[in-house]
Amino acid sequence: SNRAPTQAIIAPNFKFEDMGIGGLDTEFQAIFRRAFASRVFPPGLVEKLGITHSKGILLYGPPGTGKTLMARQIGKMLNATEPKIVNGPEILNKFVGASEENIRKLFADAEKEQKEKGDESSLHIIIFDEIDAICKQRGSQSNGTGVGDSVVNQLLSKMDGVDQLNNVLVIGMTNRKDMIDDALLRPGRFEIHIEISLPDEAGRIQILNIHTSKMKDNKVMAPDVDVTELASLTKNFSGAELQGLVRSATTFAFNRHIKVGTMAGISDNVSDMQITRADFLSALEEVHAAFGVSEEELS
Ligand code: ATP
């Protein structure tokens, strides 16, 4: 059929800066152009062009770099229904047929809404975390049951059902793009591949600013903390690790206010607690100790 694709609407007052994503501006621009630009135009215009929307994005790269964050924020930006996030390994079920049923259910709400509301249907985002877990098994000898095969086939048939799926966008995430069945990466399926890599120094500055903005606003960050310096000391840290570093620094600050030895309680001057440069350096030392990273490797 030739029904018009569903139009997404950018949430009013949306600003990329407010998304809380650091260091991924270029990636976001690319995702937006390739997956969403066509969706925010009136369906009639899109129909004139005779195109359909891309409906699958693969975000790949190391753990903790903001893939899930990006997928969620994109949903918010487009006023989509709350994304369904499913974990690849969780979809797999030892009972024959149950995994396929799980996949089918994921798409059911969107299908139902599209049937009932047509163009008025809102955008449904389905996120597959660790998608390699379900998609690497096709044709593999180790999987005698063929469960992996039929799950991938079910997913493919859902994604190939263009007409029913105008209101659906599927986002797959993986640390292992090389493990994914080629059939899933073809045009019409997960056709947009965006690498989300570890942040560079400028990205780390942005991420550290995001995760310290509240303490800065509330004046609990000491003036000697220099985010640029911290960024230079955190080569190869992911966004999640940078967030962990900030959290760890606060624990050192808290600890200074505990009357050690008595554990009797906190000191009276806790209201002027500050997170200092020294707290961040202690946190860094802790990370280095845990991972056995030498100072030279980091500089
Ligand atoms: P995984 O592959 O392990 O699922 P992921 O790439 O999906 O990882 P997220 O779950 O998005 O990573 O990151 C975990 C948390 O780390 C985020 O909720 C966020 O608080 C922080 N974080 C990660 N990357 C960024 C970033 N680029 N900017 C700001 N915060 C980030």
Side-chain angles (χ1 to χ4, degrees):
S1 80
N2 273 326
R3 58 171 315 288
T6 300
Q7 182 187 13
I9 294 164
I10 297 187
N13 308 323
F14 167 79
K15 286 201 209 80
F16 179 69
E17 304 89 79
D18 298 341
M19 285 175 116
I21 304 175
L24 295 172
D25 311 37
T26 315
E27 290 80 356
F28 176 76
Q29 303 292 345
I31 295 171
F32 188 83
R33 177 178 60 80
R34 297 176 66 183
F36 298 108
S38 69
R39 289 184 187 261
V40 295
F41 282 96
L45 180 64
V46 175
E47 225 171 345
K48 263 188 205 157
L49 299 170
I51 57 162
T52 52
H53 303 303
S54 291
K55 58 201 159 169
I57 307 176
L58 185 77
L59 302 180
Y60 66 97
T65 45
K67 297 183 287 298
T68 312
L69 188 62
M70 178 80 90
R72 277 183 174 283
Q73 295 294 58
I74 282 169
K76 276 196 199 144
M77 172 188 82
L78 293 170
N79 269 340
T81 57
E82 183 63 20
K84 287 202 173 94
I85 304 190
V86 289
N87 186 267
E90 278 168 19
I91 279 280
L92 292 181
N93 191 302
K94 63 184 169 184
F95 300 108
V96 177
S99 310
E100 294 90 303
E101 177 62 12
N102 288 342
I103 301 259
R104 201 192 58 72
K105 274 196 206 138
L106 278 175
F107 289 80
D109 284 348
E111 283 169 1
K112 185 164 167 262
E113 201 181 301
Q114 177 112 55
K115 227 174 258 161
E116 285 166 6
K117 298 190 183 168
D119 285 348
E120 303 297 310
S121 169
S122 44
L123 182 65
H124 292 250
I125 297 183
I126 299 172
I127 301 176
F128 282 92
D129 198 6
E130 296 184 64
I131 193 167
D132 47 280
I134 48 172
C135 297
K136 69 180 170 198
Q137 297 185 5
R138 210 155 76 131
S140 94
Q141 294 305 310
S142 59
N143 176 32
T145 61
V147 166
D149 282 21
S150 49
V151 173
V152 177
N153 289 338
Q154 173 74 303
L155 183 56
L156 289 179
S157 89
K158 283 292 173 196
M159 292 190 77
D160 288 343
V162 185
D163 288 340
Q164 303 103 287
L165 292 181
N166 280 326
N167 61 345
V168 172
L169 182 86
V170 189
I171 305 180
M173 299 187 295
T174 181
N175 306 323
R176 295 295 310 270
K177 183 179 175 222
D178 57 308
M179 300 282 273
I180 294 178
D181 193 318
D182 281 343
L184 269 140
L185 303 179
R186 283 204 286 265
R189 294 163 179 178
F190 292 97
E191 61 185 331
I192 301 172
H193 308 162
I194 306 278
E195 182 171 12
I196 307 288
S197 34
L198 289 173
D200 60 10
E201 193 161 327
R204 295 197 295 277
I205 291 175
Q206 284 184 22
I207 295 170
L208 285 165
N209 276 329
I210 287 167
H211 291 286
T212 55
S213 72
K214 203 156 196 177
M215 49 181 84
K216 230 182 279 167
D217 290 351
N218 294 317
K219 308 210 173 7
V220 288
M221 193 155 105
D224 68 348
V225 178
D226 177 1
V227 167
T228 309
E229 181 200 20
L230 294 175
S232 74
L233 296 171
T234 46
K235 201 177 152 195
N236 292 327
F237 274 51
S238 67
E241 286 165 341
L242 291 168
Q243 184 184 24
L245 185 77
V246 173
R247 198 183 300 121
S248 169
T250 66
T251 66
F252 284 98
F254 280 128
N255 204 46
R256 243 183 294 117
H257 291 271
I258 293 171
K259 290 171 185 152
V260 181
T262 65
M263 287 294 168
I266 52 174
S267 64
D268 301 333
N269 61 344
V270 69
S271 57
D272 44 65
M273 186 173 94
Q274 297 267 298
I275 320 291
T276 64
R277 174 174 182 270
D279 293 327
F280 276 97
L281 296 183
S282 303
L284 264 173
E285 233 170 75
E286 191 170 59
V287 173
H288 295 176
F291 294 100
V293 187
S294 71
E295 292 295 331
E296 303 87 82
E297 281 173 80
L298 282 152
S299 53

